[in-house]
Amino acid sequence: MSLKGRDIVWIGDLSEEEILTVLDEAQRMVPIARGEIKSKIMDGRILASLFFEPSTRTRLSFETAMHRLGGDVITIAGQEGSSLIKGETLADTIRMAESYSDIIAIRHPKEGAARLASTFSKKPIINGGDGAGQHPTQTLLDLFTIRNNTGGFEGIQVAIAGDLKYGRTVHSLSLALGRFGAEMTFVAPDRIQMPEYIREELDKMGARYHTRDDVKKVIPDSDVLYMTRIQKERFPEEEEYMKVAGAFKIDAEALEGARKNLIVMHPLPRVDEIHHSVDRTPHAKYFEQAFNGVPVRMALLKLILEVAE
Ligand code: NCD
């Protein structure tokens, strides 16, 4: 098994075995991610980080991962900072980036953009989020966080709540959890429930899932509660957004009947779906989750560029 030179565009690009290899490698990367051990394994390598949509955690953790491994980074943050705004095509931008770098991480507002980029590039492409499509590296760090806290995936109860229609993190996450045998409950108002095409994929793999519309009712039976933001920017009409804005909110009180080991996760940024009172409870894992982006992305860079230690 080798990830050398591979594109990571959809979570389905990785087999179960490959996903577990990334998680194991990420575990070994933690002391380097924390800055406790120095590494130079990426010396002379360049990551092109092309973010045509806002990002805090994904871009910064990709860049931190490369820096902590002794590599270099070139960055585009926002369409304004690049020639896309002058009308340059994605294909030309990618052709430039591949000639300047060894690996490309890309975030783009259009679904399918990362896959398209991978057809123009001989260098590996990692999807950092394509519109309402997928976000596979987020899924890897979500799986890493879940496994470190629950011990595994088989049979665990995962409630996934919020904007399941436009939220790309939950698309990749549910496809991965389904393959690893977790039981999922999709909690959302009807109009932003999990898309049919994802449910069809889950049906094909025989994954177990339910749909609900009240987050408070699912809390007592969950091992993981994965909250998400309503993706305001992806709604075609403001009016549609207003119908679901603030649909789910949890606070410390809502977690009183929860299992002792329940973990609350969120890809962040949060708007109002998790009250700050939750931050002080032992359930809150979203900041640990955000940190985990660094070791997980280090592991990916190492495996894809196949550098020796
Ligand atoms: C998410 C994203 O960009 O899809 N954020 C992230 O990468 N951590 C979630 C979101 O924007 O709501």
Side-chain angles (χ1 to χ4, degrees):
M1 189 221 72
S2 169
L3 289 180
K4 186 177 182 186
R6 293 262 293 274
D7 300 316
I8 311 292
V9 175
W10 292 325
I11 195 65
D13 292 340
L14 295 169
S15 69
E16 278 98 285
E17 190 196 350
E18 287 165 345
I19 291 175
L20 295 175
T21 301
V22 174
L23 304 192
D24 292 344
E25 186 64 51
Q27 199 65 56
R28 289 191 281 275
M29 289 289 178
V30 169
I32 307 174
R34 288 204 186 111
E36 294 161 4
I37 295 179
K38 301 271 177 269
S39 169
K40 284 279 170 215
I41 62 170
M42 290 290 164
D43 190 23
R45 310 286 180 128
I46 296 178
L47 163 74
S49 130
L50 312 182
F51 279 67
F52 301 112
E53 237 196 5
S55 173
T56 302
R57 278 147 292 272
T58 306
R59 186 170 69 80
L60 293 186
S61 62
F62 258 118
E63 297 186 0
T64 302
M66 198 60 180
H67 286 303
R68 288 267 198 228
L69 293 174
D72 290 301
V73 177
I74 52 173
T75 303
I76 292 175
Q79 307 206 7
E80 312 74 45
S82 76
S83 287
L84 275 194
I85 208 90
K86 300 184 191 165
E88 181 163 68
T89 62
L90 180 64
D92 284 358
T93 307
I94 293 295
R95 283 184 193 113
M96 291 308 109
E98 74 158 344
S99 71
Y100 300 154
S101 66
D102 302 293
I103 186 163
I104 299 170
I106 179 170
R107 168 171 290 188
H108 197 280
K110 287 219 175 68
E111 208 171 318
R115 181 62 79 205
L116 189 65
S118 73
T119 65
F120 304 130
S121 174
K122 285 185 272 314
K123 303 280 168 63
I125 296 279
I126 310 183
N127 182 7
D130 61 321
Q134 290 217 7
H135 196 344
T137 65
Q138 177 72 39
T139 294
L140 293 168
L141 73 93
D142 292 343
L143 294 175
F144 185 76
T145 308
I146 294 173
R147 191 176 76 165
N148 281 356
N149 282 282
T150 67
F153 308 113
E154 179 69 43
I156 59 165
Q157 299 288 332
V158 184
I160 303 182
D163 187 347
L164 310 186
K165 180 177 180 187
Y166 296 116
R168 54 196 171 200
T169 71
V170 298
H171 298 160
S172 323
L173 179 63
S174 56
L175 292 172
L177 284 173
R179 279 154 74 194
F180 283 112
E183 187 164 339
M184 294 170 282
T185 305
F186 301 138
V187 197
D190 260 358
R191 56 181 80 233
I192 49 170
Q193 255 297 355
M194 194 56 88
E196 202 53 46
Y197 75 94
I198 300 282
R199 292 197 226 180
E200 280 168 14
E201 286 296 311
L202 293 171
D203 291 338
K204 271 192 236 158
M205 62 176 87
R208 286 171 298 167
Y209 66 89
H210 321 273
T211 54
R212 298 279 182 276
D213 61 7
D214 185 344
V215 71
K216 293 195 176 126
K217 283 198 185 135
V218 305
I219 290 174
D221 300 315
S222 301
D223 300 305
V224 177
L225 172 60
Y226 190 100
M227 298 290 290
T228 62
R229 170 179 77 88
I230 309 286
Q231 309 280 297
K232 184 176 184 195
E233 69 277 24
R234 305 205 196 285
F235 280 73
E237 312 278 342
E238 167 102 18
E239 210 185 313
E240 285 300 301
Y241 166 72
M242 291 315 291
K243 288 182 188 152
V244 288
F248 295 141
K249 291 181 189 170
I250 60 156
D251 54 16
E253 205 185 318
L255 298 178
E256 274 165 16
R259 292 180 177 170
K260 189 170 150 285
N261 296 327
L262 167 79
I263 61 166
V264 178
M265 298 174 63
H266 194 304
L268 303 176
R270 63 178 154 179
V271 181
D272 55 4
E273 53 282 348
I274 302 182
H275 188 262
H276 296 286
S277 59
V278 178
D279 301 359
R280 294 187 296 271
T281 72
H283 303 293
K285 297 292 174 195
Y286 27 91
F287 297 121
E288 172 184 321
Q289 181 186 358
F291 165 76
N292 287 340
V294 179
V296 166
R297 292 181 170 112
M298 282 177 160
L300 269 181
L301 292 170
K302 180 180 171 213
L303 293 165
I304 296 172
L305 292 176
E306 209 178 49
V307 288
E309 274 171 63

